[in-house]
Amino acid sequence: SKKPVRVAVTGAAGQIGYALLFRIASGEMLGKDQPVILQLLEIPDEKAQNALKGVIMELEDCAFPLLAGIEAHSDPMTAFKDTDYALLVGARPRGPGMERADLLAANAQIFTVQGKALNAVASRNVRVLVVGNPANTNAYIAMKSAPDLPRKNFTAMLRLDHNRAASQIAAKTGKAVAGIEKLAVWGNHSPTMYADYRNATIDGQSVKDLINDEQWNREVFLPTVGKRGAAIIAARGLSSAASAANAAIDHMRDWALGTNGKWVTMGIPSNGEYGIPKDVMFGYPVTCEGGEYKIVEGIAIDEFSQECINKTLKELTDEQDGVKHLL
Ligand code: NAX
């Protein structure tokens, strides 16, 4: 049987953590034959550490055959020791009266510390997914704080946007979501993201031709996907958690085990593809194979798409400029 791999999860006692850990431990992320050791990080605060203890008791009570160990930590330097995968979920939410700049600064502090800790103690090939918001910029900060690790191993979660877009397309066309191929989401995990179905097919038919309604694309589809997080908060009184955890599982599983040629969306550091400046943590369509992702190149960018890409890029470079002095 396989040797266990180490999976670090931060914010482990939070609501996404609660929807995520049990699925990692049951083998849904890395395969039903892959034992895992969970290295869980929470803030030192007594309430958070107690909540983490409770989650660990429940994990134990599942008696998962693949769960080879569970550790509770309050320090990233021990939580990230030798870790092969790191899911950075914990972040500072926007509190009352907090300005955007304060939010960026508070998270810059967290992700600088965690990036440095990964740099110091993680596996040299650790694969990092940042979920905590602002996810792209937090991933950028962690990457910049970990100069000894491969840049390409730092990623941000755009998969929830991708899955939301797929679900809207399936509903609109009346077809099954499983039939969708070649969907792309560009840019920032924020309402500025650009979900792009121009090349998508569903059951082999062109989505654009089937829908054939550019007004729906611009006035219904894009705002619905972009504001879905807010719609869930309005309905549930809490932000998306199970769907976010599901997207994190999808992202890591596809990265580790491959997509068989299917396009998925990952936030990854640019190498200049599609005119995005180097190092910007940008949502791109990718395929995964052999534990590596590859950007889908050669997609034609029309005028409307370029406007959308420019807008989400501007937001990201503004966020990056807002934290540059802290790095
Ligand atoms: P919760 O507030 O329920 O949980 C966050 C947990 O993180 C808390 O238990 C907190 O103690 C812990 N934490 C905070 N700072 C930490 C640190 N420095 N080290 C370790 N743990 C720390 O939030 P939850 O609903 O689980 O959401 C977590 C993050 O995901 C938020 O930033 C949220 O905005 C973000 N999201 C990102 C999404 C994406 O698509 N990229 C979608 C869902 C979600 O909104």
Side-chain angles (χ1 to χ4, degrees):
S1 62
K2 287 188 175 174
K3 190 171 163 276
V5 296
R6 297 180 174 276
V7 180
V9 180
T10 75
Q15 35 150 22
I16 294 176
Y18 197 72
L20 177 63
L21 298 173
F22 299 84
R23 296 186 62 189
I24 299 174
S26 75
E28 287 179 65
M29 186 169 90
L30 296 172
K32 294 283 183 186
D33 59 346
Q34 178 59 66
V36 294
I37 297 169
L38 289 175
Q39 306 187 164
L40 308 179
L41 180 68
E42 261 296 341
I43 51 175
D45 169 78
E46 197 187 325
K47 220 176 133 199
Q49 287 295 321
N50 270 333
L52 181 57
K53 284 198 187 98
V55 174
I56 290 176
M57 286 189 259
E58 287 204 68
L59 281 162
E60 290 167 351
D61 293 350
C62 293
F64 287 119
L66 290 172
L67 188 52
I70 318 176
E71 304 168 5
H73 296 273
S74 58
D75 179 353
M77 286 293 282
T78 57
F80 296 158
K81 181 94 182 89
D82 297 327
T83 196
D84 302 292
Y85 297 89
L87 291 88
L88 310 186
V89 178
R92 176 75 76 82
R94 192 192 290 240
M98 211 171 170
E99 296 293 332
R100 189 174 175 77
D102 303 330
L103 182 77
L104 276 170
N107 281 298
Q109 208 264 333
I110 292 173
F111 287 87
T112 313
V113 168
Q114 295 190 356
K116 285 181 178 161
L118 286 164
N119 195 56
V121 301
S123 154
R124 295 303 83 187
N125 199 26
V126 61
R127 288 181 169 76
V128 182
L129 168 63
V130 177
V131 175
N133 279 320
N136 298 54
T137 295
N138 290 342
Y140 171 82
I141 293 165
M143 175 183 80
K144 288 290 180 187
S145 306
D148 302 328
L149 297 174
R151 286 166 60 251
K152 67 174 170 57
N153 287 13
F154 286 81
T155 68
M157 193 165 93
L158 267 292
R159 186 58 176 267
L160 183 52
D161 309 275
H162 182 103
N163 289 350
R164 285 168 173 167
S167 140
Q168 293 299 321
I169 289 166
K172 177 73 175 172
T173 56
K175 292 180 181 289
V177 78
I180 298 181
E181 301 272 354
K182 298 190 171 180
L183 174 63
V185 182
W186 306 88
N188 199 6
H189 167 64
S190 93
T192 67
M193 60 85 230
Y194 172 46
D196 175 6
Y197 62 70
R198 291 173 305 134
N199 298 285
T201 59
I202 190 159
D203 296 344
Q205 287 177 275
S206 158
V207 168
K208 193 163 183 257
D209 291 351
L210 274 173
I211 294 175
N212 193 25
D213 186 348
E214 189 50 27
Q215 197 177 352
W216 181 81
N217 178 33
R218 297 183 191 195
E219 291 172 19
V220 180
F221 174 70
L222 288 171
T224 301
V225 177
K227 294 180 194 154
R228 187 70 162 180
I232 285 164
I233 293 174
R236 216 170 76 87
L238 289 166
S239 58
S240 346
S243 56
N246 178 69
I249 296 275
D250 283 350
H251 177 116
M252 283 306 216
R253 182 203 57 226
D254 285 350
W255 192 2
L257 305 179
T259 65
N260 276 321
K262 193 179 163 106
W263 298 12
V264 294
T265 300
M266 291 171 70
I268 57 180
S270 172
N271 280 308
E273 295 88 348
Y274 295 97
I276 306 304
K278 184 163 182 279
D279 283 354
V280 172
M281 197 61 70
F282 205 75
Y284 281 109
V286 301
T287 55
C288 302
E289 197 184 336
E292 304 291 340
Y293 59 78
K294 206 169 95 202
I295 292 183
V296 178
E297 304 223 50
I299 299 173
I301 304 297
D302 62 16
E303 196 184 330
F304 175 70
S305 300
Q306 191 63 57
E307 277 171 26
C308 293
I309 286 173
N310 291 349
K311 185 170 157 211
T312 192
L313 173 62
K314 166 85 167 55
E315 184 181 53
L316 270 174
T317 50
D318 284 352
E319 284 182 15
Q320 277 183 25
D321 290 345
V323 297
K324 256 189 190 131
H325 63 290
L326 303 166
L327 297 183

